[in-house]
Amino acid sequence: MARRIGKYTIFYDTPPVIEGYASVAGKKESEGPLGKMFDRVFDDEYLGQDSFEKAESEMQRQVLSIAMEKSGVTPADIDILFAGDLLNQCSASTFGLGDYNIPYVGIYGACSTMALGLCMASSFVEGGLAQRTACVTSSHFCSSERQFRLPLEYGGQRTPTAQWTVTGAGSVIVTSLKNTGIKIRGITLGRTVDKGINDVNNMGAAMAPAAADTIKTFLTETATSPTDYDLILTGDLGQVGSRLLCEILQNDGIDISKVHSDCGTNIFFDKKQDVHSGGSGCGCSASVLCSKILNNMTDGNLKKVLFCATGSLHSPTTVLQNQTIPGISHLVYLEV
Amino acid sequence: MARRIGKYTIFYDTPPVIEGYASVAGKKESEGPLGKMFDRVFDDEYLGQDSFEKAESEMQRQVLSIAMEKSGVTPADIDILFAGDLLNQCSASTFGLGDYNIPYVGIYGACSTMALGLCMASSFVEGGLAQRTACVTSSHFCSSERQFRLPLEYGGQRTPTAQWTVTGAGSVIVTSLKNTGIKIRGITLGRTVDKGINDVNNMGAAMAPAAADTIKTFLTETATSPTDYDLILTGDLGQVGSRLLCEILQNDGIDISKVHSDCGTNIFFDKKQDVHSGGSGCGCSASVLCSKILNNMTDGNLKKVLFCATGSLHSPTTVLQNQTIPGISHLVYLEV
């Protein structure tokens, strides 16, 4: 049974197990520090498709296929699939995953989608609503840039706070049918946090307050401290947002600096790859979690991890209408 | 505990109860057959805001507020909020509901969102992950038309199969803390169904196969027949899609014609209001369910209802890229 600890945190008495996981990534990501850890990398940014959007769908199709293969399961073995992405109307997921014929729940958490998907996938398993679930998400530099910012051909200058949308995808399969492996011990579902940031080229600053809110909530509700964990991993705050997160929590008397890392600062070489503040996109936290982090947990190098992906809940329309940029962060407590 | 009946259907042994619900709608909807049943109607399509998108957010804010008021609960009493809408990056929900400070799960099911939200809200309650959840969705004629089709000023001619996006919103509050009232007995999560339809002005045809798939799955997995229910209510198939749904199921030996109705054909006066095939949008099934249908269940005029909202999972980009239009339908079994 699940136990609610406070308003936001749910602990699982019978923690679901991560049965398998997979990551795929693009060429630039393959040249970064995690390049050798992805299950598959693509030199062709089109993946043989005729548009970047279809290429993103193809990444989702392949990453779920690899995750199933590594888990030794077929689509018929998966009770529910949770997926979403950044494209308008979450179309990368729709078109990438439809052929699998799995009961499908579309989710939207912007770049927090991997964490949101894990929250849903584990809740349904722990609540006895499913025995095996899967979650998938992705982002693609080319489909995101042209949808959210500028035409690729424009070649606009990027600000120092800007982040580079990761071309990549991740998938995790969660089950109650096994009891060894990496366990999902609990979750904290975040709330929307809006501190009035309105610069789409500084999403780290827009999302950091949400990450701070969720991490603080989790630590408070569980009465634990940052050093009780081996790693507190945020999604895609980048360098600017990571610094801000540590500062916000420090002001609340919480020092996470010794155990904090961010997927956006893990995936690219800082200066050599010219990504400014770091990586971003649903595919950033998804591909980093589903490579380096879960590998390290499997190998026993990491035991207790708080995975708190972060999402920036704006659209090009809301930005043009002078709305601020609300952030959200969902937390997943992983243990091996 | 939840029991899985077949691959798609989940039955609840301790069915969550609908504690309260509310609907709001626009001026045209208020002039339709259900006009007197909505909790609030707006003569001003801007709701005092400076854009149609902000107006849609305001509808979500108000409809949740009314649902809470009718249920006698406050935001602090709600454990999790599930919401989504048609706008890019689900921004109507983000900006409409953020201030309530409720743990927030963004969902995307296009026009099936009300059913998807009820599936999530009831699953979390029945699985013991929450005691009280809420779901919200909306659509607005003006924000949808200009995003999905043409600028409003263009005044384009509409085809006979076209539907009219409903300006409206609905919200339901679900709980395990009560045991009398309308109960959610079970759900069937749909899969993506793509029969190759590619006409965005004939979404009824794109969605009907998905509704047929989900209804057939539910009836097969529960070994029941259409006449075991007082009403099988689809979301927004309109006249064209409803006819098609009945035909598809008839070909499979299932006759739902005696108990079938569709929210899209309920909300407007057929010819007088010039809506062609009927209403559509997330707000269509949400506002019809949360007025006439749940009122009738409360009054005892309807006892067993299968609510199967339908979603058309396209985006303007996928349509321009010559993709077909996949549909999805999620089913909620309501009983009083």
Side-chain angles (χ1 to χ4, degrees):
Chain A
M1 273 300 285
R3 277 175 296 134
R4 290 191 75 82
I5 300 182
K7 183 167 172 67
Y8 295 87
T9 303
I10 303 173
F11 254 60
Y12 302 147
D13 282 337
T14 48
V17 167
I18 292 183
E19 191 169 19
Y21 57 92
S23 59
V24 302
K27 186 167 183 290
K28 187 180 180 88
E29 292 71 21
S30 76
E31 294 162 352
L34 312 186
K36 302 278 181 229
M37 300 180 201
F38 303 122
D39 290 288
R40 191 173 292 166
V41 295
F42 306 104
D43 283 344
D44 169 19
E45 65 204 346
Y46 281 102
L47 282 85
Q49 306 295 313
D50 62 10
S51 78
F52 298 128
E53 290 74 18
K54 290 180 187 173
E56 189 175 338
S57 288
E58 184 59 26
M59 284 201 297
Q60 290 213 14
R61 185 178 296 126
Q62 294 197 25
V63 81
L64 176 58
S65 170
I66 302 169
M68 288 192 294
E69 202 183 306
K70 288 171 73 178
S71 309
V73 302
T74 68
D77 300 320
I78 297 175
D79 295 329
I80 309 173
L81 177 57
F82 298 89
D85 58 88
L86 291 169
L87 296 186
N88 294 342
Q89 287 70 55
C90 299
S91 58
S93 304
T94 300
F95 288 92
L97 306 171
D99 289 344
Y100 286 117
N101 273 323
I102 305 171
Y104 178 73
V105 174
I107 54 175
Y108 185 74
C111 303
S112 76
T113 301
M114 194 69 215
L116 181 58
L118 282 170
C119 289
M120 296 295 104
S122 58
S123 288
F124 268 72
V125 166
E126 214 277 350
L129 301 144
Q131 291 195 306
R132 184 182 282 111
T133 53
C135 56
V136 186
T137 190
S138 66
S139 55
H140 191 301
F141 176 81
C142 300
S143 62
S144 272
E145 285 302 311
R146 68 178 181 180
Q147 179 183 279
F148 281 100
R149 296 186 186 88
L150 296 163
L152 293 163
E153 297 80 355
Y154 181 75
Q157 282 287 319
R158 302 166 66 246
T159 67
T161 55
Q163 295 176 239
W164 188 277
T165 307
V166 165
T167 299
S171 176
V172 175
I173 293 173
V174 175
T175 188
S176 59
L177 298 170
K178 300 215 166 140
N179 51 27
T180 56
I182 303 167
K183 292 180 180 180
I184 302 179
R185 290 289 309 275
I187 61 171
T188 299
L189 289 170
R191 57 182 168 181
T192 307
V193 177
D194 188 345
K195 295 293 181 191
I197 304 289
N198 59 6
D199 177 3
V200 284
N201 293 310
N202 192 0
M203 292 191 308
M207 297 187 291
D213 187 70
T214 297
I215 293 169
K216 186 183 170 188
T217 298
F218 176 85
L219 295 174
T220 306
E221 293 187 340
T222 58
T224 57
S225 63
T227 47
D228 290 331
Y229 305 94
D230 299 321
L231 177 65
I232 297 178
L233 181 72
T234 45
D236 57 344
L237 297 179
Q239 293 175 25
V240 175
S242 292
R243 234 172 8 242
L244 200 52
L245 168 68
C246 291
E247 274 176 37
I248 296 170
L249 287 175
Q250 195 74 62
N251 288 342
D252 280 332
I254 300 169
D255 180 7
I256 62 163
S257 60
K258 288 188 189 68
V259 291
H260 174 255
S261 186
D262 181 71
C263 298
T265 62
N266 268 266
I267 194 163
F268 295 117
F269 286 115
D270 191 6
K271 299 212 166 99
K272 201 170 76 181
Q273 290 193 289
D274 191 27
V275 293
H276 298 218
S277 185
S280 68
C282 301
C284 179
S285 61
S287 63
V288 174
L289 177 77
C290 296
S291 59
K292 178 182 172 182
I293 306 305
L294 293 181
N295 286 354
N296 272 329
M297 294 193 76
T298 304
D299 295 343
N301 298 324
L302 284 172
K303 289 197 164 58
K304 292 182 173 196
V305 173
L306 303 183
F307 173 62
C308 348
T310 39
S312 166
L313 300 172
H314 68 287
S315 84
T317 304
T318 63
V319 171
L320 287 171
Q321 292 186 0
N322 295 318
Q323 300 262 48
T324 52
I325 303 179
I328 197 160
S329 175
H330 302 292
L331 181 151
V332 184
Y333 173 19
L334 302 165
E335 190 177 29
V336 66
Chain B
M1 275 297 288
R3 277 175 296 133
R4 289 192 75 83
I5 300 182
K7 183 168 173 63
Y8 295 87
T9 303
I10 304 172
F11 254 60
Y12 302 146
D13 282 338
T14 47
V17 167
I18 292 181
E19 192 169 17
Y21 57 91
S23 59
V24 301
K27 184 164 185 290
K28 188 180 179 92
E29 292 71 20
S30 76
E31 294 162 353
L34 313 186
K36 301 277 180 233
M37 300 181 201
F38 302 122
D39 291 287
R40 191 173 293 166
V41 296
F42 305 104
D43 283 344
D44 169 20
E45 64 203 350
Y46 281 101
L47 281 84
Q49 306 294 313
D50 62 9
S51 77
F52 298 128
E53 290 74 18
K54 291 179 186 172
E56 189 175 339
S57 288
E58 184 59 25
M59 283 200 298
Q60 289 213 14
R61 184 178 295 126
Q62 293 197 26
V63 81
L64 176 57
S65 170
I66 302 168
M68 289 191 294
E69 201 184 308
K70 287 171 72 177
S71 309
V73 302
T74 68
D77 300 321
I78 298 175
D79 295 329
I80 310 174
L81 177 56
F82 298 89
D85 57 89
L86 291 170
L87 296 187
N88 295 343
Q89 286 71 55
C90 299
S91 57
S93 304
T94 299
F95 288 91
L97 306 172
D99 290 344
Y100 285 117
N101 272 323
I102 305 171
Y104 177 74
V105 174
I107 55 175
Y108 185 75
C111 304
S112 75
T113 300
M114 194 69 216
L116 181 57
L118 281 170
C119 290
M120 295 295 105
S122 57
S123 288
F124 268 71
V125 166
E126 214 276 350
L129 300 143
Q131 291 194 308
R132 184 182 282 112
T133 53
C135 56
V136 186
T137 191
S138 65
S139 56
H140 191 300
F141 176 80
C142 299
S143 61
S144 272
E145 284 302 309
R146 67 179 181 178
Q147 179 182 281
F148 282 101
R149 296 187 185 87
L150 295 163
L152 293 163
E153 298 81 355
Y154 181 77
Q157 281 289 315
R158 303 167 65 246
T159 67
T161 56
Q163 294 175 239
W164 189 278
T165 306
V166 165
T167 299
S171 176
V172 175
I173 293 173
V174 176
T175 189
S176 59
L177 298 171
K178 300 216 166 140
N179 50 27
T180 55
I182 303 167
K183 293 182 178 178
I184 302 178
R185 292 289 309 273
I187 61 171
T188 299
L189 289 169
R191 59 183 166 181
T192 308
V193 176
D194 187 347
K195 295 294 184 193
I197 304 289
N198 59 6
D199 178 2
V200 285
N201 293 309
N202 191 359
M203 293 192 308
M207 298 187 292
D213 188 69
T214 297
I215 292 168
K216 186 184 170 186
T217 297
F218 176 85
L219 295 173
T220 307
E221 293 187 341
T222 57
T224 57
S225 62
T227 47
D228 290 330
Y229 306 93
D230 299 322
L231 175 66
I232 297 178
L233 180 73
T234 46
D236 57 345
L237 297 179
Q239 292 174 26
V240 175
S242 291
R243 227 166 20 235
L244 200 51
L245 168 68
C246 291
E247 273 176 38
I248 296 170
L249 287 174
Q250 195 72 63
N251 288 342
D252 281 332
I254 300 169
D255 181 7
I256 62 164
S257 60
K258 289 190 188 66
V259 290
H260 174 256
S261 186
D262 181 72
C263 298
T265 61
N266 267 268
I267 193 163
F268 295 117
F269 286 115
D270 191 6
K271 302 219 165 93
K272 200 170 75 180
Q273 291 193 288
D274 191 28
V275 294
H276 297 218
S277 185
S280 68
C282 300
C284 178
S285 61
S287 63
V288 173
L289 177 77
C290 295
S291 59
K292 178 182 171 183
I293 306 303
L294 293 180
N295 286 354
N296 271 329
M297 293 191 78
T298 304
D299 296 343
N301 298 326
L302 285 171
K303 288 198 164 59
K304 293 181 174 197
V305 173
L306 303 182
F307 173 61
C308 348
T310 40
S312 166
L313 300 172
H314 69 288
S315 83
T317 304
T318 63
V319 171
L320 287 171
Q321 293 186 359
N322 294 317
Q323 300 264 50
T324 52
I325 303 179
I328 196 159
S329 175
H330 302 293
L331 180 150
V332 183
Y333 172 19
L334 302 165
E335 191 178 28
V336 67

